[in-house]
Amino acid sequence: MDTSVTEHGEGCSLMERILYEVKKVVVGQDHFLERVLVAIMAQGHLLVEGVPGLAKTLTVKTLARTIRGSCKRIQFTPDLVPADIVGTRIYNQKTGDFATSLGPVFTNLLLADEINRAPAKVQSALLEVMQEYQVTIGGQTHKVPEPFLVMATQNPIETEGTYPLPEAQVDRFMMKVLVGYPSEEEEFVIVDRVTGVAEPGVAAVATTEQLSALQRECRSVYVEPSLMQYAVRLAAATRNPERYGLAELAKYLSFGASPRGPIHLIEGARALAYMRGRTYALPEDVTDLVPDVFRHRLVLTYEALTEGMTADMLILRIMQRILSPEKPLEAHVRIAAGS
């Protein structure tokens, strides 16, 4: 067995141990936890929509402990200013010099809680750091630690006192994940754990350096060109549905997915394939992520809203029309990947 496969096996095992430690504390939410790890491995960011009390903050804190990383939380409110997030220059009266005070974005895992409660200029303060992994303060550029993940949350219930996220901001999130209520069995376990005497211990099973190495290794996962073409066709169908025999959907779509959509879809499929123990991506790795990657990139018309059409419904219709490529033979993929 060659070295790359051995390293891949070790990396997959490490990801399983990280997930195991997180699930000691966080009950259920398997889909959400998997997407968090996919975002980290693919070096993307996550937008999470769910009602309060569904362990979103707990997940980030627990994950930071398992990878020996830092974690910070920003509660977005209408009175925030950009300097509260990225930092600012402070004048020192004793020395007569300006010193740079770095903001809470300088961390490994950043939880932007209720991001839509701050105005657009504050939300836009995250644009540079999410795209470039750096912050410019007073003409000086400061790199954020690696790995770096922004997980922003939105409350779907309360709309009073909220601001819609700018399209440029939304597009920088790799995925938008919808978090639902736990089942009765899972909720019983949650109540039992929280009200119990002993808290479950979480072990630090990895380091931030190991996680950065896994991110680089994940980039070597082979993606067949037909899968990339499939991702591009899906994005194109959201912009020009008439070209793909979906003229009836045109009245529901104001704008479709940007080129970041298929890019993030392929990056996410790479990470998902890696976590599933493979050195190559399969069609199901792509199709599993399509709703999460595309749902926040579609801008629906007023007609769609009045008829109760959602982005997920439109994505499903498009996926039913544009079928994924056939599963390639494993031997063929291995040869193409050079493994």
Side-chain angles (χ1 to χ4, degrees), residues 87-101:
T88 188
R89 301 270 287 172
I90 299 176
Y91 179 70
N92 190 325
Q93 290 184 336
K94 292 183 179 179
T95 62
D97 296 326
F98 283 91
T100 301
S101 175

Side-chain angles (χ1 to χ4, degrees), residues 15 19 44 55 79 139 168 228 242 261 299 302:
M15 293 302 295
L19 185 59
D79 59 343
M228 295 186 187
E242 300 92 343
V299 180
Y302 179 74

Side-chain angles (χ1 to χ4, degrees), residues 201-227:
V202 177
V205 297
T207 63
T208 53
E209 291 78 13
Q210 286 177 305
L211 200 57
S212 295
L214 291 181
Q215 289 177 337
R216 292 190 293 270
E217 189 179 335
C218 180
R219 297 280 299 177
S220 65
V221 171
Y222 176 72
V223 180
E224 197 177 55
S226 63
L227 292 178

Side-chain angles (χ1 to χ4, degrees), residues 133-334:
Y133 297 93
Q134 65 182 29
V135 170
T136 303
I137 304 173
Q140 293 184 336
T141 299
H142 305 269
K143 290 282 187 181
V144 294
E146 293 183 0
F148 178 71
L149 167 75
V150 174
M151 192 176 95
T153 68
Q154 288 188 135
N155 183 348
I157 299 176
E158 297 176 335
T159 56
E160 187 176 347
T162 61
Y163 303 81
L165 269 67
E167 290 304 318
Q169 172 84 40
V170 172
D171 200 41
R172 279 170 170 77
F173 287 102
M174 171 177 272
M175 291 179 285
K176 178 180 179 180
V177 182
L178 307 180
V179 182
Y181 287 111
S183 65
E184 287 187 22
E185 293 78 10
E186 291 169 344
E187 195 161 1
F188 172 81
V189 177
I190 293 170
V191 174
D192 183 54
R193 284 189 185 179
V194 173
T195 59
V197 178
E199 292 186 3
V202 177
V205 297
T207 63
T208 53
E209 291 78 13
Q210 286 177 305
L211 200 57
S212 295
L214 291 181
Q215 289 177 337
R216 292 190 293 270
E217 189 179 335
C218 180
R219 297 280 299 177
S220 65
V221 171
Y222 176 72
V223 180
E224 197 177 55
S226 63
L227 292 178
M228 295 186 187
Q229 184 63 36
Y230 172 62
V232 170
R233 283 169 58 84
L234 288 175
T238 65
R239 303 169 203 149
N240 300 297
E242 300 92 343
R243 287 177 50 193
Y244 298 89
L246 294 164
E248 69 277 8
L249 301 187
K251 62 181 181 180
Y252 299 129
L253 290 163
S254 292
F255 295 96
S258 75
R260 281 199 186 99
I263 291 172
H264 286 166
L265 184 56
I266 295 303
E267 294 286 4
R270 269 201 180 109
L272 197 56
Y274 184 89
M275 290 168 54
R276 290 172 172 174
R278 281 183 272 102
T279 56
Y280 55 90
L282 291 178
E284 53 262 35
D285 298 321
V286 179
T287 55
D288 286 354
L289 292 175
V290 172
D292 293 319
V293 174
F294 276 34
R295 67 165 55 99
H296 57 299
R297 304 179 194 277
L298 305 186
V299 180
L300 306 187
T301 62
Y302 179 74
E303 189 171 353
L305 301 177
T306 56
E307 293 187 21
M309 294 292 290
T310 64
D312 284 17
M313 291 177 184
L314 298 176
I315 291 168
L316 179 60
R317 294 273 293 275
I318 292 172
M319 291 180 70
Q320 289 171 343
R321 181 72 180 185
I322 302 176
L323 301 180
S324 63
E326 294 183 3
K327 182 183 292 188
L329 294 175
E330 181 176 335
H332 164 72
V333 173
R334 287 187 176 278

